[in-house]
Amino acid sequence: MIELFSKRAHALKASEIRELLKLVQSPDMISFAGGLPNPKTFPGEELKEIVPDVISRHGRSALQYGVTEGIPQLRDGIVEWMKRENVELTRENILITSGSQQGLDLVGRIFIDPEDPVILGAPSYLGAISAFGTLEPNLISIPLDDDGLQVEILEDKLPRMRNRGSIPKMVYTVPTFQNPAGVTMSLKRRKKLIDLSYEFDFAIIEDNPYSELRYTGDPIPTLISLDQERVVYLGTFSKIFAPGLRMAWLAGPHQIINKLTLAKQATDLCSPAFNQFILYEFMERGHLQPHITEIKELYSGKRKVMLDEMKEQMPEGMEWTKPEGGMFLWATVPCHIDTQEMFPKALEKKVAYVAGTAFHADGGGQNSMRINFSYSSDDEIKEGVDRLSTVVREEMSRVSC
């Protein structure tokens, strides 16, 4: 029956990271590959109290189908939560989704036609490349540096695209502690990106999973706080609450949220009301902010251990980002070493990463890798960096420029 598949089905590819995680399950493997929150951060004690209360207080609603937009209580709670970022919304500007990945899928469905130009970073979040790629757009990569997406390069490219009649419908970005690179877009570039969105009439898709996880430096305003007309915002509770509940949200202009809601109705009708009530009660009881503080304390220490070990053990010529927050750093190796080809050798040493090619829609990133520091224990980070440095040194001695 394979011959009955649609062209779109034939184009589907497995997530490189999801497939990779299947390979690194042995107990002696140290994996820097996943983007997994640390299980120590899961609020099990609070949920032991909340879950029975949800059944007793909200059971008739929590166990029933819900409205597609999400339960009003949670949407109102998110409105209040986003006021901390100086964003003034109403519940009509919020759509609850089953994880940010569903949000990316919905955004792609309402904006992208085949061959449409879509701008994203190089590197960029693999989930976005996957979600948008199934819709057959023309994915156009703009490189990143330590200040995030190089908006100056985009500014230079857009007039030429307009002359060819191929202005992008949207620019996708993870501006704060970007996945995979860990870098943060400067305020100057954020403002310039918004200016360009008006000049060239495109939407900005701001994916913001990590901004609550800042360990050093000063916060930078979100794009949606700078402009609520051009920005569609994706937020998630997976990194600050519990990924297993799959709770996330989209925020944006009412007419866009309406269209996203229709797209969601065709996908799953509604996100689980039971999970929404659990999250609502967690927020309503004042647990979320103290919980984030605990997460930051744990991850900040892990980040320091990772950066200290990288500095101590990695060979000269290897470079990496020094993120002020989030869960990842991005490392590059010299002499055009191919980290995809090097990966099996890392597995032999019982250490794993994600090769940089997975995060490049344009096929680049051969000499780079994403490294996660949130999941492993401190001792595993130290041992894992030691193993990885051995692999890199051996490869550098074997491959010349």
Side-chain angles (χ1 to χ4, degrees):
M1 295 180 65
I2 293 176
E3 65 274 9
L4 301 179
F5 287 163
S6 67
K7 291 181 180 179
R8 185 165 292 168
H10 282 294
L12 292 174
K13 296 179 180 179
S15 164
E16 185 162 336
I17 294 176
R18 296 298 159 192
E19 293 301 305
L20 172 60
L21 291 177
K22 297 176 184 178
L23 300 175
V24 297
Q25 297 301 313
S26 62
D28 54 349
M29 180 72 68
I30 296 176
S31 177
F32 300 144
L36 303 178
N38 195 294
K40 290 182 179 179
T41 67
F42 299 162
E45 291 304 313
E46 294 89 341
L47 295 187
K48 287 179 183 179
E49 174 185 323
I50 288 173
V51 171
D53 285 352
V54 167
I55 296 173
S56 61
R57 295 181 184 183
H58 309 289
R60 296 175 71 91
S61 299
L63 298 175
Q64 183 59 275
Y65 288 115
V67 296
T68 304
E69 293 87 345
I71 65 170
Q73 298 95 319
L74 180 56
R75 285 187 288 147
D76 288 344
I78 290 172
V79 167
E80 292 301 312
W81 183 254
M82 294 190 71
K83 285 182 179 179
R84 299 155 53 256
E85 296 280 351
N86 297 314
V87 180
E88 294 292 335
L89 302 171
T90 69
R91 71 171 65 154
E92 283 70 32
N93 300 112
I94 303 294
L95 172 65
I96 304 299
T97 62
S98 300
S100 281
Q101 192 64 29
Q102 184 184 56
L104 291 169
D105 178 69
L106 297 177
V107 165
R109 286 171 184 262
I110 73 162
F111 281 112
I112 299 174
D113 290 317
E115 303 301 323
D116 278 346
V118 172
I119 302 291
L120 39 65
S124 193
Y125 174 49
L126 176 59
I129 296 174
S130 175
F132 302 153
T134 62
L135 301 170
E136 304 174 69
N138 177 20
L139 295 177
I140 299 171
S141 299
I142 301 294
L144 277 64
D145 61 17
D146 286 343
D147 287 324
L149 189 75
Q150 295 189 49
V151 178
E152 300 84 357
I153 294 177
L154 175 62
E155 183 180 19
D156 181 64
K157 183 183 291 284
L158 284 170
R160 298 197 299 272
M161 294 181 69
R162 180 166 57 187
N163 290 340
R164 297 194 302 268
S166 61
I167 287 294
K169 284 186 176 178
M170 65 185 210
V171 172
Y172 169 79
T173 181
V174 185
T176 306
F177 314 137
Q178 195 251 15
N179 179 2
V183 297
T184 296
M185 189 189 299
S186 67
L187 179 59
K188 179 180 178 181
R189 285 183 177 175
R190 294 178 191 224
K191 290 180 176 179
K192 172 56 71 174
L193 181 60
I194 291 170
D195 289 343
L196 292 172
S197 75
Y198 280 94
E199 182 179 355
F200 292 94
D201 193 26
F202 58 78
I204 299 171
I205 312 303
E206 179 180 20
D207 196 354
N208 191 33
Y210 307 106
S211 66
E212 297 289 345
L213 303 179
R214 175 174 284 279
Y215 319 126
T216 186
D218 297 323
I220 299 177
T222 56
L223 288 161
I224 195 172
S225 72
L226 298 173
D227 190 282
Q228 293 179 213
E229 296 298 320
R230 310 298 302 188
V231 177
V232 178
Y233 177 96
L234 294 96
T236 180
F237 293 97
S238 290
K239 309 304 186 293
I240 57 175
F241 180 50
L245 292 182
R246 310 306 299 131
M247 287 287 94
W249 77 97
L250 282 157
H254 188 207
Q255 62 181 358
I256 291 178
I257 294 298
N258 280 348
K259 191 62 70 173
L260 288 164
T261 300
L262 295 176
K264 181 175 168 63
Q265 286 175 355
T267 301
D268 67 353
L269 299 181
C270 61
S271 295
F274 191 79
N275 295 359
Q276 294 181 59
F277 275 107
I278 291 172
L279 175 55
Y280 160 70
E281 287 290 344
F282 190 82
M283 296 176 71
E284 181 69 10
R285 299 180 191 197
H287 292 315
L288 186 55
Q289 190 58 62
H291 184 61
I292 292 172
T293 300
E294 293 177 3
I295 296 173
K296 289 170 62 176
E297 183 177 354
L298 178 67
Y299 289 178
S300 177
K302 292 182 178 298
R303 167 189 171 274
K304 184 178 187 305
V305 172
M306 175 67 79
L307 290 177
D308 287 348
E309 292 299 313
M310 294 285 286
K311 182 178 180 180
E312 179 70 23
Q313 300 195 52
M314 287 302 176
E316 183 177 353
M318 186 174 179
E319 299 179 348
W320 54 90
T321 57
K322 284 80 174 177
E324 294 184 334
M327 297 166 54
F328 307 102
L329 58 85
W330 184 254
T332 56
V333 291
C335 303
H336 306 291
I337 293 172
D338 190 319
T339 56
Q340 186 70 54
E341 293 182 1
M342 187 175 74
F343 181 71
K345 299 166 187 176
L347 289 185
E348 291 176 4
K349 299 288 187 183
K350 300 297 184 181
V351 64
Y353 56 82
V354 185
T357 50
F359 305 98
H360 283 74
D362 60 2
Q366 287 86 353
N367 69 324
S368 57
M369 66 183 83
R370 189 189 74 174
I371 299 175
N372 168 265
F373 57 80
S374 65
Y375 185 76
S376 302
S377 70
D378 290 359
D379 287 342
E380 287 171 337
I381 291 173
K382 293 176 182 178
E383 176 62 25
V385 172
D386 179 60
R387 296 178 187 181
L388 184 57
S389 69
T390 299
V391 175
V392 173
R393 290 177 189 277
E394 290 177 354
E395 197 72 359
M396 288 175 65
S397 66
R398 188 183 71 84
V399 180
S400 58
C401 293

